[in-house]
Amino acid sequence: MLLLAVDTATPAVTVALHDGESVVAEANQVDARRHGELLLPSVDRVLAEAGLKLDAVTGIVVGVGPGPYTGLRVGLVTAATFASVLGVPVHGLCTLDGLAYAAGLEGGIEGPFAVATDARRKEVYWARYEDPRTRVGDPAVDRPADIADQVAGLPAVGAGALLYPEVFKDPRGPEHQSAAALAALAAVKLAAGEEFLPAQPLYLRRPDAQVPKNYKVVTPK
């Protein structure tokens, strides 16, 4: 097994290779405006570090969000393209689930806890977890003040928790998504025969860019 994991649903452009037992190589950069520029060079970098070619990959893992429209699509389109070219399966995972699993691996959090990422517009994408592998309900997007009662007293991981300490009063690491944790979670799920999400974007709200209503037609009659 050799999994190539990518996630661009957050400001982190993160890529990792996982052989089913451990991370072989990873690359992480945080830049909310350069997902398209950074992702493929990051893939090249982890393959070079591992001394492998792309055709050695047996499966693609991709974070499906929730996340902003443009950045999220970069990772999903790239994952779908690789899977098609290589003839390998693509496994979708909730980005928040990756952060939750990383909280267990890196932060030693057992649960319950919350995960929150920055959704902009003074909102967060968030979910509650019983433990690093068990999400309670579906991911949501809300203003932090509106969910204060639901996350009260819980440790919280992710950049969204750090942005709103008045609501997430016990912020923990990690701050950013990690494809290494996403790949490790995928390897566990594959070994257990568990299902994955479709490799389709989980937006939770409409994109910022909208077609103007009642715009003036300028084409000649």
Side-chain angles (χ1 to χ4, degrees), residues 96-105 107-116 126-136 150-158 161 168 170-174:
L96 301 182
D97 291 356
L99 270 162
Y101 197 68
L105 291 177
I109 297 180
E110 296 181 356
F113 63 98
V115 174
W126 72 285
R128 288 184 53 173
Y129 290 81
E130 284 298 326
D131 57 60
R133 284 205 63 203
T134 309
R135 175 162 31 88
V136 180
Q150 298 178 66
V151 300
L154 295 178
V157 304
F168 301 99
D170 186 10
R172 309 278 185 92

Side-chain angles (χ1 to χ4, degrees), residues 118-130:
D118 183 14
R120 306 172 188 171
R121 303 184 192 174
K122 298 182 179 180
E123 295 178 331
V124 291
Y125 297 117
W126 72 285
R128 288 184 53 173
Y129 290 81
E130 284 298 326

Side-chain angles (χ1 to χ4, degrees), residues 24-215:
V24 178
E26 62 179 307
N28 302 288
Q29 298 178 78
V30 178
D31 191 328
R33 298 180 180 275
R34 299 178 62 212
H35 293 90
E37 295 177 50
L38 298 175
L39 182 57
L40 289 179
S42 295
V43 172
D44 288 341
R45 188 156 54 251
V46 298
L47 287 169
E49 182 180 334
L52 297 168
K53 299 293 185 182
L54 185 60
D55 60 9
V57 170
T58 61
I60 309 294
V61 180
V62 63
V64 301
Y69 182 85
T70 304
L72 177 54
R73 288 185 68 85
V74 170
L76 285 165
V77 170
T78 300
T81 302
F82 282 159
S84 177
V85 170
L86 297 172
V88 300
V90 57
H91 309 293
L93 285 173
C94 174
T95 294
L96 301 182
D97 291 356
L99 270 162
Y101 197 68
L105 291 177
E106 303 171 19
I109 297 180
E110 296 181 356
F113 63 98
V115 174
T117 61
D118 183 14
R120 306 172 188 171
R121 303 184 192 174
K122 298 182 179 180
E123 295 178 331
V124 291
Y125 297 117
W126 72 285
R128 288 184 53 173
Y129 290 81
E130 284 298 326
D131 57 60
R133 284 205 63 203
T134 309
R135 175 162 31 88
V136 180
D138 295 325
V141 57
D142 290 289
R143 288 183 176 272
D146 294 340
I147 60 171
D149 291 344
Q150 298 178 66
V151 300
L154 295 178
V157 304
L162 294 174
L163 284 172
Y164 302 99
E166 70 279 7
V167 172
F168 301 99
K169 297 182 178 181
D170 186 10
R172 309 278 185 92
E175 177 180 355
H176 295 294
Q177 174 66 311
S178 160
L182 200 71
L185 174 58
V188 171
K189 289 175 69 69
L190 283 168
E194 297 177 15
E195 294 185 356
F196 289 82
L197 296 175
Q200 300 293 328
L202 183 62
Y203 292 129
L204 301 189
R205 69 183 183 203
R206 297 180 65 84
D208 292 334
Q210 300 285 335
V211 176
K213 295 181 179 179
N214 302 318
Y215 59 87

